Amino acid sequence: MSGTSLFVRPRRSRRGAALTLVVASVLATGAATGSWHAGREGRSHGKPAAAPGSGSRTADREAVEGAAAQAMADGKSGAQAAADVVSRSGDRWSTIYTAGEFEDFQRQLDGDYVGVGLWLRQAAGGRIVVSRVRPDGPAARAGITTGDRLRAVGGRPSRGRPVTEVVARLRGDGGSGAEGTPVALDLQRGARQWSVTLHRVRLRSDDVRTDRPAGAAGPTRIKVAAFTKGTGAQIRDAVRAAAPHAGLLLDLRGNTGGLVAEAVSAASAFLDGGLVATYDVHGSQRALYADGGGDTRIPLVVLVDGGTMSAAELLAGALQDRGRAVVVGSPTFGKGSVQMPSELPDGSVAELTVGHYRTPAGRAVDGRGITPDLAAGDGAVQRARTVLSGLGGGA
């Protein structure tokens, strides 16, 4: 495959649209909760979060589809029956969306959504915690910060509920949330508990930011928050505009993943063709390749941390294995599973784990993550600049 897009046709294709293969999925939640970015964040898929490296389980597609069909025949909710099967399977990355939730998710991947500017994750004990806040969104203006616990939305407790469900409440149940509509949040920070009412606004994803923090002579820094539609092209444009002698810092810290095709497109900015990753779908091996013509000369350092996930790990691993970049930071999250969506008989969508990907050197990522070439914590950016200067780039 060329790395431009990956699709799988649903069994019943609404509006004739194909459903996109997402290796990332932590993406799904957050962004906004407005976001899901879809989470932007992700998708913690609503099940208790297992620790990285705890092993992976997969929900059986036939069991999920069979439960949905039987429930509908009995006059019950097919989506709920499917969700129950996924929950019992222990597959923390598979999830079930209502038709409205999945449409919201697709809009997130397109970079446009109505929300309050929050990313969420599920913490120990089923607690829902803010993992990221959009600087210019309603949540940020209200003083909400990363680490705050979201106790309730609209008076309905969040603890123990799937992240996707909490996000749906923030956006408006059934996708009914519109610009200007209010949503009441109950929050906690340490011993302090408080309530606030936010108003939803239309937001555009701002996933790629480019700057030259050290001045005109310093390296270009490209910060990528997630891989939504168009991210790869933005990265390629930033690389072309960079001063070749100064080098590049590709900052993937906190990147929650996203569209695999966009991560492959980003890899194509730095590689002249060749393997980016391999992955399996129900045991069938497939490969992803970079396009030719990327900049293979500009010095490159990739920054990662424990919040670097999925498609971002795929990119970091490819550049590391191909000898194209020095990776600096702390070990990444370890989300290397592939989810593929299909439509259930009632119009809901089951996004189930179908396989796992590996780096060009054959390293498994799921439960292991990417180990940096150079470990660095709080001083990671300065360490990266020092390494970059050693590669011939400006410090």
Side-chain angles (χ1 to χ4, degrees):
M1 295 185 181
S2 66
T4 54
S5 60
L6 293 173
F7 297 100
V8 56
R9 295 276 178 189
R11 291 169 56 192
R12 291 172 51 223
S13 182
R14 286 178 287 146
R15 301 191 188 90
L19 302 183
T20 305
L21 173 68
V22 180
V23 169
S25 275
V26 175
L27 194 140
T29 287
T33 268
S35 154
W36 289 13
H37 246 249
R40 263 162 190 20
E41 206 189 4
R43 271 187 219 181
S44 258
H45 282 77
K47 285 163 273 303
S54 62
S56 59
R57 301 175 183 176
T58 58
D60 182 82
R61 185 175 298 276
E62 290 185 3
V64 170
E65 293 177 346
Q70 184 60 54
M72 291 182 65
D74 295 340
K76 300 177 182 179
S77 169
Q80 184 58 56
D84 289 342
V85 172
V86 169
S87 180
R88 290 195 297 270
S89 75
D91 184 344
R92 63 190 179 117
W93 297 117
S94 291
T95 194
I96 307 297
Y97 296 100
T98 66
E101 288 172 348
F102 192 75
E103 288 180 1
D104 284 344
F105 176 41
Q106 292 292 81
R107 282 194 289 271
Q108 285 303 309
L109 293 174
D110 287 338
D112 181 74
Y113 58 93
V114 173
V116 297
L118 285 180
W119 282 255
L120 304 176
R121 65 180 176 86
Q122 192 167 53
R127 294 177 295 114
I128 301 298
V129 175
V130 175
S131 62
R132 180 178 158 197
V133 181
R134 182 179 174 121
D136 59 346
R141 290 193 291 270
I144 299 172
T145 64
T146 299
D148 288 344
R149 176 183 171 188
L150 182 58
R151 296 169 54 86
V153 177
R156 298 160 66 184
S158 299
R159 183 167 185 167
R161 305 309 306 164
V163 174
T164 50
E165 177 182 313
V166 179
V167 169
R169 293 177 188 173
L170 283 163
R171 294 179 55 81
D173 288 343
S176 61
E179 293 181 72
T181 55
V183 55
L185 310 183
D186 294 335
L187 299 121
Q188 181 174 346
R189 182 185 304 159
R192 178 196 173 200
Q193 297 183 18
W194 77 101
S195 299
V196 64
T197 296
L198 306 179
H199 289 80
R200 302 177 178 99
V201 298
R202 181 164 295 280
L203 300 168
R204 282 291 304 173
S205 298
D206 184 16
D207 292 320
V208 180
R209 296 187 180 185
T210 304
D211 63 72
R212 193 170 295 165
T220 295
R221 180 178 173 186
I222 305 173
K223 171 67 175 176
V224 187
F227 289 97
T228 49
K229 186 176 181 180
T231 297
Q234 292 181 62
I235 293 172
R236 293 198 307 273
D237 289 344
V239 173
R240 284 193 289 265
H245 64 280
L248 280 170
L249 298 177
L250 180 61
D251 192 345
L252 300 180
R253 293 175 299 171
N255 186 305
T256 52
L259 294 169
V260 177
E262 296 297 334
V264 174
S265 177
S268 300
F270 306 103
L271 301 171
D272 186 14
L275 187 64
V276 173
T278 58
Y279 68 101
D280 60 283
V281 176
H282 299 307
S284 176
Q285 298 299 310
R286 307 183 186 186
L288 299 167
Y289 295 94
D291 294 331
D295 188 333
T296 61
R297 294 181 176 275
I298 189 169
L300 176 64
V301 171
V302 177
L303 284 160
V304 299
D305 66 5
T308 303
M309 305 177 71
S310 198
E313 293 175 284
L314 181 152
L315 174 58
L319 296 176
Q320 186 181 52
D321 278 5
R322 296 283 302 275
R324 182 60 189 88
V326 175
V327 179
V328 175
S330 52
T332 63
F333 184 85
K335 197 281 182 183
S337 58
V338 179
Q339 283 69 48
M340 188 175 290
S342 62
E343 193 170 349
L344 297 176
D346 64 351
S348 59
V349 174
E351 190 180 77
L352 305 180
T353 300
V354 296
H356 300 82
Y357 69 85
R358 292 177 177 269
T359 68
R363 291 183 294 161
V365 176
D366 203 53
R368 301 180 183 181
I370 300 296
T371 301
D373 298 303
L374 178 64
D378 294 339
V381 173
Q382 187 55 51
R383 293 290 295 276
R385 289 177 182 165
T386 300
V387 172
L388 195 58
S389 66
L391 296 175

